[in-house]
Amino acid sequence: MDEVQKVLQNPLVRTGLKTVAPQVALGVDLAVTVVGGLFGSRKRKPSAAKLMAVIDKQLAKVLEDLATTESKHYRNECEIRAHTLLGVLMEWDRIK
């Protein structure tokens, strides 16, 4: 989350995000806090298997929603989420 925190240090980005997408801004703040709590202490680092299980669960839910939703807007959102999670998996494979 170093890159995210670096971007959020820019007051223009932080203010713009809170104005344009307040729910995303809140989610990002929460994610930064949670990740900081998980990875801030070397004793409490989650295993790679646990992290992969979370990605697997999220991707399965997104794919199920994508296949069953009637809403075009939500279907587009699910496609974006699926591409994002697949991108994470691709990056994961490169660092192994």
Side-chain angles (χ1 to χ4, degrees):
M1 296 300 275
D2 293 337
E3 294 297 318
V4 172
Q5 288 178 340
K6 198 182 305 181
V7 168
L8 291 177
Q9 287 176 353
N10 182 337
L12 185 61
V13 171
R14 196 170 210 31
T15 303
L17 186 59
K18 286 181 180 180
T19 302
V20 175
Q23 293 169 332
V24 173
L26 183 61
V28 168
D29 286 342
L30 179 61
V32 168
T33 302
V34 168
V35 168
L38 287 174
F39 293 101
S41 169
R42 295 195 186 272
K43 295 178 186 175
R44 295 182 42 193
K45 279 191 178 179
S47 70
K50 288 181 182 179
L51 291 172
M52 189 58 76
V54 170
I55 293 170
D56 179 47
K57 184 177 178 180
Q58 290 293 315
L59 183 56
K61 171 76 170 110
V62 168
L63 293 175
E64 181 180 9
D65 287 352
L66 180 60
T68 60
T69 190
E70 302 265 335
S71 167
K72 184 177 180 177
H73 174 73
Y74 188 60
R75 197 170 34 245
N76 288 339
E77 183 178 329
C78 287
E79 286 181 24
I80 292 168
R81 289 180 183 185
H83 282 285
T84 301
L85 289 168
L86 291 170
V88 169
L89 291 174
M90 294 294 290
E91 289 296 322
W92 185 289
D93 192 45
R94 289 182 189 150
I95 62 172
K96 284 202 292 180

